[in-house]
Amino acid sequence: MSQQQEEMSFWDHLEALRWTLFRCVIALIVFTVTGFVFMQYLFDTVILAPTRADFILYRVLCELTRSIPLMPDFCDETYHVKIFNVKLASPFFISMSTSFWLALLITFPYLVYEVWKFISPALYDYEKKNVRWAFLCGTIMFFIGCAVGYFFVFPMTLRFLATWDISVAIENQSSLESYVDMFIMLIFIMGIVFEMPLVSWLLSKMGLLTRSFFNKYRRHAIVGLLIAAAFITPSGDPFTLGCVFLPLYGLYELSALFVKKAPKEEDDIGTEVAKT
C-alpha cells in the first residue's frame, strides 16, 4: 500500500470519491447529449440496420446459404421489419433513454479507468497487477459480448420473431418501444454474459469457486446452454443453434481455465504424475 494512501483521512477518501463520481457523470452527460444530437443518424444507420435485408449478417448468411443446403434462406431481398409509433412523446423520450445507454456503452472503458484509479492506491503492487489485468480483460470481453449481441444475437432473434406468422390475416409489425427495449436488452445481456470468465476468476480469488465445480456440472451446463441458445435464436436450424451455443460453451470452458484448482485436485494430480 502506498504511503500517500496511508496518510489520507476519511474525508480525503470521500473527496476523491466525489471527484471520481463527478468526472464519470460529466462523461456520461457529454456523450448522452452528443448521442441525442445525432440520434436520427444513429437510428437510421445503426439501431435500425438489422431491420433491413442489407444488414451485414444477412448478406454473409446469404452467401453461406448458397453453399450449405441445410441452412435457412437468408437471401430474401424483400425482408424488412416495420416499426410503428403510437405515442406522440415516445420518439423524444426514447431518444433520451437510448442516448444514455449508448453513452454508457461508449464510456464504459473510461468509467472502469476511473474506478481503477480510485481503488488502486489502496492495493499492494501484486494486487494492482492482477486487478489491472482483470479490468482490462473485463472491458475487452464486455465489448466482444456487445458486438456478438449486435451483429448476431439480436438480428437472428429479430428475424425469427418478425417472420413468425400466426395467421395470414395478421401483418407483423413492431412498436418503437418494443424494438428499442429488445435491442438494448440483448446487447447488454450479451456484454454481461461475456463477463463470466472474469466473475469466475474473482469468485476463485475469494475461495468460493474451484475448477471441480466446472468439471462436476459440465453436462448440466451443456444442456442449460443449449436451452439458452435455443431460446435466444429459436429458429430451429442446427447452424444457427450451433453459432450461439459454441461461443457460450467456449465462455464456460474459458471460465474454468481462469479458476484455480482446489488443493485436493492438485494433490490428486501430483499423485497421478508420481505414479506414472
PDB file of all heavy atoms in Angstrom, residues 104-105 108 137-147 187-188 190-192 194-195:
ATOM      1  N   LEU A 104     -23.414   5.146 -22.002  1.00  0.00           N
ATOM      2  CA  LEU A 104     -22.881   4.208 -21.010  1.00  0.00           C
ATOM      3  C   LEU A 104     -22.008   3.156 -21.671  1.00  0.00           C
ATOM      4  O   LEU A 104     -20.950   2.774 -21.136  1.00  0.00           O
ATOM      5  CB  LEU A 104     -24.040   3.545 -20.266  1.00  0.00           C
ATOM      6  CG  LEU A 104     -23.668   2.603 -19.109  1.00  0.00           C
ATOM      7  CD1 LEU A 104     -22.933   3.363 -18.014  1.00  0.00           C
ATOM      8  CD2 LEU A 104     -24.919   1.935 -18.553  1.00  0.00           C
ATOM      9  N   LEU A 105     -22.411   2.706 -22.841  1.00  0.00           N
ATOM     10  CA  LEU A 105     -21.627   1.714 -23.575  1.00  0.00           C
ATOM     11  C   LEU A 105     -20.292   2.292 -24.042  1.00  0.00           C
ATOM     12  O   LEU A 105     -19.233   1.665 -23.889  1.00  0.00           O
ATOM     13  CB  LEU A 105     -22.434   1.215 -24.776  1.00  0.00           C
ATOM     14  CG  LEU A 105     -21.743   0.220 -25.707  1.00  0.00           C
ATOM     15  CD1 LEU A 105     -21.452  -1.079 -24.974  1.00  0.00           C
ATOM     16  CD2 LEU A 105     -22.593  -0.048 -26.939  1.00  0.00           C
ATOM     17  N   PHE A 108     -17.795   3.151 -21.158  1.00  0.00           N
ATOM     18  CA  PHE A 108     -17.505   2.047 -20.240  1.00  0.00           C
ATOM     19  C   PHE A 108     -16.014   1.934 -19.920  1.00  0.00           C
ATOM     20  O   PHE A 108     -15.644   1.788 -18.745  1.00  0.00           O
ATOM     21  CB  PHE A 108     -18.047   0.737 -20.810  1.00  0.00           C
ATOM     22  CG  PHE A 108     -17.861  -0.437 -19.898  1.00  0.00           C
ATOM     23  CD1 PHE A 108     -18.656  -0.608 -18.783  1.00  0.00           C
ATOM     24  CD2 PHE A 108     -16.870  -1.389 -20.152  1.00  0.00           C
ATOM     25  CE1 PHE A 108     -18.481  -1.692 -17.933  1.00  0.00           C
ATOM     26  CE2 PHE A 108     -16.692  -2.477 -19.318  1.00  0.00           C
ATOM     27  CZ  PHE A 108     -17.498  -2.625 -18.203  1.00  0.00           C
ATOM     28  N   CYS A 137      -9.174  -7.160 -19.181  1.00  0.00           N
ATOM     29  CA  CYS A 137      -9.844  -8.306 -19.807  1.00  0.00           C
ATOM     30  C   CYS A 137     -11.366  -8.176 -19.708  1.00  0.00           C
ATOM     31  O   CYS A 137     -12.087  -8.513 -20.654  1.00  0.00           O
ATOM     32  CB  CYS A 137      -9.392  -9.601 -19.139  1.00  0.00           C
ATOM     33  SG  CYS A 137      -7.652 -10.007 -19.426  1.00  0.00           S
ATOM     34  N   GLY A 138     -11.837  -7.676 -18.570  1.00  0.00           N
ATOM     35  CA  GLY A 138     -13.280  -7.499 -18.413  1.00  0.00           C
ATOM     36  C   GLY A 138     -13.845  -6.503 -19.404  1.00  0.00           C
ATOM     37  O   GLY A 138     -14.922  -6.711 -19.975  1.00  0.00           O
ATOM     38  N   THR A 139     -13.125  -5.408 -19.634  1.00  0.00           N
ATOM     39  CA  THR A 139     -13.569  -4.411 -20.600  1.00  0.00           C
ATOM     40  C   THR A 139     -13.604  -4.973 -22.016  1.00  0.00           C
ATOM     41  O   THR A 139     -14.574  -4.791 -22.766  1.00  0.00           O
ATOM     42  CB  THR A 139     -12.643  -3.181 -20.557  1.00  0.00           C
ATOM     43  OG1 THR A 139     -12.639  -2.636 -19.232  1.00  0.00           O
ATOM     44  CG2 THR A 139     -13.126  -2.110 -21.530  1.00  0.00           C
ATOM     45  N   ILE A 140     -12.542  -5.687 -22.387  1.00  0.00           N
ATOM     46  CA  ILE A 140     -12.478  -6.268 -23.731  1.00  0.00           C
ATOM     47  C   ILE A 140     -13.591  -7.293 -23.931  1.00  0.00           C
ATOM     48  O   ILE A 140     -14.284  -7.293 -24.967  1.00  0.00           O
ATOM     49  CB  ILE A 140     -11.101  -6.912 -23.968  1.00  0.00           C
ATOM     50  CG1 ILE A 140     -10.007  -5.838 -23.980  1.00  0.00           C
ATOM     51  CG2 ILE A 140     -11.085  -7.688 -25.287  1.00  0.00           C
ATOM     52  CD1 ILE A 140      -8.604  -6.391 -24.061  1.00  0.00           C
ATOM     53  N   MET A 141     -13.804  -8.158 -22.942  1.00  0.00           N
ATOM     54  CA  MET A 141     -14.829  -9.177 -23.060  1.00  0.00           C
ATOM     55  C   MET A 141     -16.217  -8.563 -23.113  1.00  0.00           C
ATOM     56  O   MET A 141     -17.107  -9.066 -23.812  1.00  0.00           O
ATOM     57  CB  MET A 141     -14.731 -10.160 -21.885  1.00  0.00           C
ATOM     58  CG  MET A 141     -13.466 -11.001 -21.870  1.00  0.00           C
ATOM     59  SD  MET A 141     -13.297 -12.042 -23.340  1.00  0.00           S
ATOM     60  CE  MET A 141     -14.656 -13.177 -23.117  1.00  0.00           C
ATOM     61  N   PHE A 142     -16.424  -7.463 -22.390  1.00  0.00           N
ATOM     62  CA  PHE A 142     -17.727  -6.793 -22.426  1.00  0.00           C
ATOM     63  C   PHE A 142     -18.030  -6.288 -23.836  1.00  0.00           C
ATOM     64  O   PHE A 142     -19.145  -6.481 -24.353  1.00  0.00           O
ATOM     65  CB  PHE A 142     -17.737  -5.644 -21.428  1.00  0.00           C
ATOM     66  CG  PHE A 142     -19.009  -4.836 -21.456  1.00  0.00           C
ATOM     67  CD1 PHE A 142     -20.155  -5.304 -20.843  1.00  0.00           C
ATOM     68  CD2 PHE A 142     -19.058  -3.606 -22.103  1.00  0.00           C
ATOM     69  CE1 PHE A 142     -21.334  -4.559 -20.868  1.00  0.00           C
ATOM     70  CE2 PHE A 142     -20.222  -2.863 -22.137  1.00  0.00           C
ATOM     71  CZ  PHE A 142     -21.361  -3.335 -21.517  1.00  0.00           C
ATOM     72  N   PHE A 143     -17.058  -5.663 -24.470  1.00  0.00           N
ATOM     73  CA  PHE A 143     -17.280  -5.142 -25.820  1.00  0.00           C
ATOM     74  C   PHE A 143     -17.428  -6.267 -26.844  1.00  0.00           C
ATOM     75  O   PHE A 143     -18.194  -6.144 -27.805  1.00  0.00           O
ATOM     76  CB  PHE A 143     -16.155  -4.188 -26.222  1.00  0.00           C
ATOM     77  CG  PHE A 143     -16.328  -2.805 -25.678  1.00  0.00           C
ATOM     78  CD1 PHE A 143     -15.499  -2.329 -24.675  1.00  0.00           C
ATOM     79  CD2 PHE A 143     -17.328  -1.981 -26.156  1.00  0.00           C
ATOM     80  CE1 PHE A 143     -15.667  -1.053 -24.163  1.00  0.00           C
ATOM     81  CE2 PHE A 143     -17.503  -0.699 -25.655  1.00  0.00           C
ATOM     82  CZ  PHE A 143     -16.664  -0.233 -24.657  1.00  0.00           C
ATOM     83  N   ILE A 144     -16.703  -7.357 -26.651  1.00  0.00           N
ATOM     84  CA  ILE A 144     -16.881  -8.506 -27.542  1.00  0.00           C
ATOM     85  C   ILE A 144     -18.300  -9.052 -27.412  1.00  0.00           C
ATOM     86  O   ILE A 144     -18.966  -9.371 -28.413  1.00  0.00           O
ATOM     87  CB  ILE A 144     -15.846  -9.602 -27.227  1.00  0.00           C
ATOM     88  CG1 ILE A 144     -14.444  -9.128 -27.599  1.00  0.00           C
ATOM     89  CG2 ILE A 144     -16.176 -10.887 -27.983  1.00  0.00           C
ATOM     90  CD1 ILE A 144     -13.351 -10.112 -27.235  1.00  0.00           C
ATOM     91  N   GLY A 145     -18.783  -9.142 -26.188  1.00  0.00           N
ATOM     92  CA  GLY A 145     -20.143  -9.615 -25.966  1.00  0.00           C
ATOM     93  C   GLY A 145     -21.176  -8.694 -26.588  1.00  0.00           C
ATOM     94  O   GLY A 145     -22.155  -9.153 -27.201  1.00  0.00           O
ATOM     95  N   CYS A 146     -20.989  -7.387 -26.448  1.00  0.00           N
ATOM     96  CA  CYS A 146     -21.921  -6.424 -27.062  1.00  0.00           C
ATOM     97  C   CYS A 146     -21.895  -6.543 -28.590  1.00  0.00           C
ATOM     98  O   CYS A 146     -22.936  -6.443 -29.251  1.00  0.00           O
ATOM     99  CB  CYS A 146     -21.567  -5.002 -26.639  1.00  0.00           C
ATOM    100  SG  CYS A 146     -21.903  -4.638 -24.898  1.00  0.00           S
ATOM    101  N   ALA A 147     -20.701  -6.756 -29.154  1.00  0.00           N
ATOM    102  CA  ALA A 147     -20.591  -6.920 -30.606  1.00  0.00           C
ATOM    103  C   ALA A 147     -21.307  -8.186 -31.065  1.00  0.00           C
ATOM    104  O   ALA A 147     -22.017  -8.175 -32.087  1.00  0.00           O
ATOM    105  CB  ALA A 147     -19.118  -6.968 -31.015  1.00  0.00           C
ATOM    106  N   ILE A 187     -28.229  -6.682 -26.274  1.00  0.00           N
ATOM    107  CA  ILE A 187     -26.833  -6.268 -26.420  1.00  0.00           C
ATOM    108  C   ILE A 187     -26.140  -6.210 -25.055  1.00  0.00           C
ATOM    109  O   ILE A 187     -25.025  -6.719 -24.884  1.00  0.00           O
ATOM    110  CB  ILE A 187     -26.752  -4.914 -27.149  1.00  0.00           C
ATOM    111  CG1 ILE A 187     -27.140  -5.103 -28.614  1.00  0.00           C
ATOM    112  CG2 ILE A 187     -25.343  -4.324 -27.041  1.00  0.00           C
ATOM    113  CD1 ILE A 187     -27.152  -3.829 -29.413  1.00  0.00           C
ATOM    114  N   PHE A 188     -26.814  -5.615 -24.068  1.00  0.00           N
ATOM    115  CA  PHE A 188     -26.190  -5.518 -22.752  1.00  0.00           C
ATOM    116  C   PHE A 188     -26.153  -6.879 -22.057  1.00  0.00           C
ATOM    117  O   PHE A 188     -25.208  -7.167 -21.301  1.00  0.00           O
ATOM    118  CB  PHE A 188     -26.930  -4.495 -21.888  1.00  0.00           C
ATOM    119  CG  PHE A 188     -26.414  -3.102 -22.058  1.00  0.00           C
ATOM    120  CD1 PHE A 188     -26.934  -2.269 -23.027  1.00  0.00           C
ATOM    121  CD2 PHE A 188     -25.395  -2.618 -21.264  1.00  0.00           C
ATOM    122  CE1 PHE A 188     -26.456  -0.980 -23.199  1.00  0.00           C
ATOM    123  CE2 PHE A 188     -24.900  -1.335 -21.423  1.00  0.00           C
ATOM    124  CZ  PHE A 188     -25.430  -0.510 -22.392  1.00  0.00           C
ATOM    125  N   MET A 190     -25.678  -9.768 -23.542  1.00  0.00           N
ATOM    126  CA  MET A 190     -24.529 -10.475 -24.100  1.00  0.00           C
ATOM    127  C   MET A 190     -23.217  -9.903 -23.569  1.00  0.00           C
ATOM    128  O   MET A 190     -22.260 -10.633 -23.322  1.00  0.00           O
ATOM    129  CB  MET A 190     -24.558 -10.408 -25.622  1.00  0.00           C
ATOM    130  CG  MET A 190     -25.680 -11.197 -26.269  1.00  0.00           C
ATOM    131  SD  MET A 190     -25.711 -12.935 -25.747  1.00  0.00           S
ATOM    132  CE  MET A 190     -24.115 -13.503 -26.338  1.00  0.00           C
ATOM    133  N   GLY A 191     -23.163  -8.577 -23.378  1.00  0.00           N
ATOM    134  CA  GLY A 191     -21.971  -7.980 -22.785  1.00  0.00           C
ATOM    135  C   GLY A 191     -21.720  -8.500 -21.382  1.00  0.00           C
ATOM    136  O   GLY A 191     -20.578  -8.801 -21.005  1.00  0.00           O
ATOM    137  N   ILE A 192     -22.795  -8.651 -20.601  1.00  0.00           N
ATOM    138  CA  ILE A 192     -22.662  -9.158 -19.229  1.00  0.00           C
ATOM    139  C   ILE A 192     -22.312 -10.641 -19.233  1.00  0.00           C
ATOM    140  O   ILE A 192     -21.498 -11.101 -18.430  1.00  0.00           O
ATOM    141  CB  ILE A 192     -23.965  -8.896 -18.450  1.00  0.00           C
ATOM    142  CG1 ILE A 192     -24.179  -7.386 -18.277  1.00  0.00           C
ATOM    143  CG2 ILE A 192     -23.929  -9.587 -17.092  1.00  0.00           C
ATOM    144  CD1 ILE A 192     -25.511  -7.020 -17.681  1.00  0.00           C
ATOM    145  N   PHE A 194     -20.563 -12.243 -21.338  1.00  0.00           N
ATOM    146  CA  PHE A 194     -19.154 -12.409 -21.672  1.00  0.00           C
ATOM    147  C   PHE A 194     -18.232 -12.007 -20.526  1.00  0.00           C
ATOM    148  O   PHE A 194     -17.013 -12.138 -20.641  1.00  0.00           O
ATOM    149  CB  PHE A 194     -18.814 -11.609 -22.931  1.00  0.00           C
ATOM    150  CG  PHE A 194     -19.003 -12.376 -24.202  1.00  0.00           C
ATOM    151  CD1 PHE A 194     -20.256 -12.780 -24.606  1.00  0.00           C
ATOM    152  CD2 PHE A 194     -17.920 -12.720 -24.997  1.00  0.00           C
ATOM    153  CE1 PHE A 194     -20.447 -13.500 -25.775  1.00  0.00           C
ATOM    154  CE2 PHE A 194     -18.084 -13.438 -26.161  1.00  0.00           C
ATOM    155  CZ  PHE A 194     -19.355 -13.842 -26.553  1.00  0.00           C
ATOM    156  N   GLU A 195     -18.794 -11.523 -19.424  1.00  0.00           N
ATOM    157  CA  GLU A 195     -18.003 -11.249 -18.226  1.00  0.00           C
ATOM    158  C   GLU A 195     -17.867 -12.487 -17.342  1.00  0.00           C
ATOM    159  O   GLU A 195     -17.233 -12.427 -16.283  1.00  0.00           O
ATOM    160  CB  GLU A 195     -18.648 -10.118 -17.416  1.00  0.00           C
ATOM    161  CG  GLU A 195     -18.692  -8.777 -18.106  1.00  0.00           C
ATOM    162  CD  GLU A 195     -17.322  -8.140 -18.214  1.00  0.00           C
ATOM    163  OE1 GLU A 195     -16.453  -8.445 -17.382  1.00  0.00           O
ATOM    164  OE2 GLU A 195     -17.115  -7.346 -19.146  1.00  0.00           O
TER     165      GLU A 195
END
